[in-house]
Amino acid sequence: MAEHRDRSHEDEATMVRRGEIPERVRNLVFLGVNESGIFSFQQAEARLQKFSGSGELLWEKDFIDLPALKGVYEEYLQEAKTQERFIPQLSYARGIHVYEEGAAILLQTAEQNPVTVLWVSNSGEDIRLIEYPEVEKSFLLRFRIAPDRQTILFVDSMEPTIYRAEYPV
């Protein structure tokens, strides 16, 4: 069994070094639900899909070309090349918060880019990028939109600091 795992790890490592995304990573999603439907963000492809409650695809948007995401894939490849024991997970997002008006997605930005939230309305027609340069980046950064819908909260799971900022949506 260990030999099979080692071979599968080698195959994935080879795929990543060739610039391919392993199948087990390709289908990872963040899900969120509100009265209007189900939001599914495909982490390795930066694709947001919206489904009805019965599972019918209503729309989808590809965000891979957002300036905020520039450099994420290159950083992933670089990290994968330096790892010997594990294959890092390619993800263009850190989390999703779906509420009454739509979905907020905390993007995984490249090192040179600030913390950024992507907001998409229920219809998929209104899309906004909101940058938070004052928030310190961390691998363990999490977020939530406050009930007043005017404030966004960020927290690093390893630090006792909660960042509060304006949420202009």
Side-chain angles (χ1 to χ4, degrees):
M1 194 68 138
E3 183 178 325
H4 174 68
R5 275 191 224 132
D6 289 342
R7 216 175 288 152
S8 131
H9 174 77
E10 285 178 33
D11 293 343
E12 284 188 356
T14 302
M15 287 178 70
V16 169
R17 287 185 185 96
R18 285 193 311 251
E20 299 172 17
I21 301 170
E23 195 64 37
R24 73 172 175 84
V25 175
R26 192 172 304 170
N27 295 319
L28 295 174
V29 299
F30 284 118
L31 289 176
V33 179
N34 67 13
E35 293 280 328
S36 74
I38 303 162
F39 290 86
S40 172
F41 187 85
Q42 295 176 1
Q43 295 178 43
E45 295 179 348
R47 177 176 298 127
L48 181 64
Q49 296 177 310
K50 172 91 179 279
F51 296 89
S52 69
S54 62
E56 173 191 352
L57 179 63
L58 301 173
W59 52 258
E60 71 179 23
K61 305 280 183 189
D62 289 320
F63 293 108
I64 198 77
D65 292 328
L66 285 177
L69 297 179
K70 185 177 178 140
V72 171
Y73 185 69
E74 292 75 14
E75 286 180 2
Y76 164 74
L77 285 179
Q78 188 60 35
E79 182 181 351
K81 289 176 183 176
T82 64
Q83 299 300 322
E84 292 182 22
R85 299 202 171 235
F86 74 96
I87 304 297
Q89 177 180 318
L90 172 62
S91 182
Y92 286 99
R94 294 173 182 247
I96 188 170
H97 182 165
V98 174
Y99 57 97
E100 200 173 299
E101 292 85 10
I105 301 159
L106 177 59
L107 297 177
Q108 170 67 40
T109 58
E111 191 62 38
Q112 73 274 13
N113 294 335
V115 169
T116 304
V117 173
L118 168 68
W119 181 78
V120 182
S121 66
N122 287 324
S123 68
E125 298 297 319
D126 191 4
I127 298 169
R128 300 180 196 176
L129 279 175
I130 309 146
E131 294 182 345
Y132 295 95
E134 70 277 12
V135 177
E136 190 173 324
K137 289 179 94 169
S138 161
F139 178 72
L140 298 172
L141 191 65
R142 302 296 181 253
F143 83 115
R144 278 295 174 254
I145 309 304
D148 68 8
R149 302 286 192 265
Q150 297 174 9
T151 307
I152 188 168
L153 306 168
F154 297 93
V155 66
D156 178 338
S157 301
M158 300 298 284
E159 299 290 329
T161 305
I162 295 176
Y163 297 95
R164 297 175 63 95
E166 183 181 326
Y167 185 66
V169 173

